[in-house]
Amino acid sequence: MQIPDAHLVLHGLAIKKHADAAAVGKLVGLPIERASKALADAVKRGRANEAQGRFILAPMARMALDGEYSKYYSDLRGNADFVAAYEGFERINVELKQLITDWQTIDVAGKRVPNDHSNAAHDEKVISRIGDMHERADKLFARLAAGLPRLQIYRDHLLQALEKAEDGAIEWISDARIDSYHTVWFELHEELLRLMGRTRVE
């Protein structure tokens, strides 16, 4: 089924929360011209709000968007390999959450305290563990992208963030201001939950 641009850009805003047309278009696989046109139309229809070139999903549009997923992704939900890959992702997501906890905190005298990243050996060990996990997760990413090719962008960005962290730019592990490993992983999880009609378990 051909998915309309109007749905794709609103879906992109649901993932990105607050983004410009270029970021939304890149995420959902639309040229910036088409993304810009669809976003402008969404603003006119009251489905998105715009300020200084950045867009957010309008509250009323969120409910309508949620109701569209079963229509546009029913085939994907019936794809046994995609569903199995998604379920594999959910299992490995538990491991990623623990790794991020180990990255953001450190044990000092039996207490967990914020990691100030002064212990390079600790950080290198966690990055190595994330790298090992990524090797296993990447097989799932490949299967997800085979079911929906535009998901390849997450696979590419995760690898790029990991490589930068391994090269010493440790902010690429979890800095929320950039497309860090944790940021992209979180967005991929949100994407998959929406596609599959599931809810996030905290």
Side-chain angles (χ1 to χ4, degrees):
M1 176 185 292
Q2 182 68 33
I3 300 174
D5 292 358
H7 169 84
L8 287 173
V9 296
L10 294 179
H11 169 69
L13 289 180
I15 303 297
K16 282 289 187 184
K17 312 301 182 192
H18 184 232
D20 61 20
V24 172
K26 185 176 182 181
L27 185 74
V28 299
L30 288 178
I32 187 171
E33 295 81 6
R34 283 172 59 185
S36 296
K37 183 176 183 299
L39 285 166
D41 185 60
V43 171
K44 289 179 183 177
R45 296 170 59 199
R47 303 192 74 185
N49 297 316
E50 184 267 337
Q52 297 181 328
R54 297 174 74 86
F55 300 83
I56 59 171
L57 194 62
M60 291 300 293
R62 191 172 297 275
M63 292 177 59
L65 176 66
D66 289 346
E68 293 177 349
Y69 288 103
S70 59
K71 175 171 66 173
Y72 294 129
Y73 301 103
S74 58
D75 289 348
L76 205 60
R77 294 177 181 183
N79 180 325
D81 190 62
F82 190 92
V83 173
Y86 161 72
E87 291 172 347
F89 175 89
E90 286 289 2
R91 288 190 292 273
I92 210 165
N93 182 59
V94 176
E95 184 177 347
L96 185 277
K97 286 195 287 188
Q98 182 59 56
L99 285 166
I100 294 300
T101 297
D102 293 344
W103 176 257
Q104 294 176 336
T105 63
I106 192 167
D107 187 84
V108 176
K111 293 184 178 180
R112 301 298 292 188
V113 300
N115 182 9
D116 64 5
H117 301 289
S118 60
N119 186 335
H122 170 85
D123 286 357
E124 289 171 5
K125 183 177 180 180
V126 177
I127 291 173
S128 178
R129 289 165 58 202
I130 292 174
D132 291 342
M133 182 217 65
H134 180 86
E135 286 190 17
R136 288 179 281 114
D138 190 57
K139 297 179 177 64
L140 298 173
F141 303 152
R143 290 164 62 190
L144 293 168
L148 186 61
R150 66 176 175 78
L151 297 183
Q152 179 67 32
I153 189 173
Y154 295 101
R155 187 184 185 195
D156 294 342
H157 283 185
L158 285 165
L159 179 59
Q160 290 165 12
L162 177 60
E163 288 178 339
K164 289 175 181 177
E166 290 174 336
D167 287 341
I170 64 172
E171 66 272 18
W172 287 90
I173 291 295
S174 66
D175 193 328
R177 296 167 297 181
I178 56 177
D179 284 340
S180 67
Y181 197 90
H182 188 220
T183 298
V184 177
W185 186 286
F186 188 91
E187 290 180 350
L188 172 58
H189 194 196
E190 180 68 19
E191 170 101 42
L192 294 174
L193 290 170
R194 288 178 168 278
L195 297 182
M196 302 305 292
R198 309 290 177 88
T199 55
R200 190 181 295 271
V201 177
E202 298 298 342

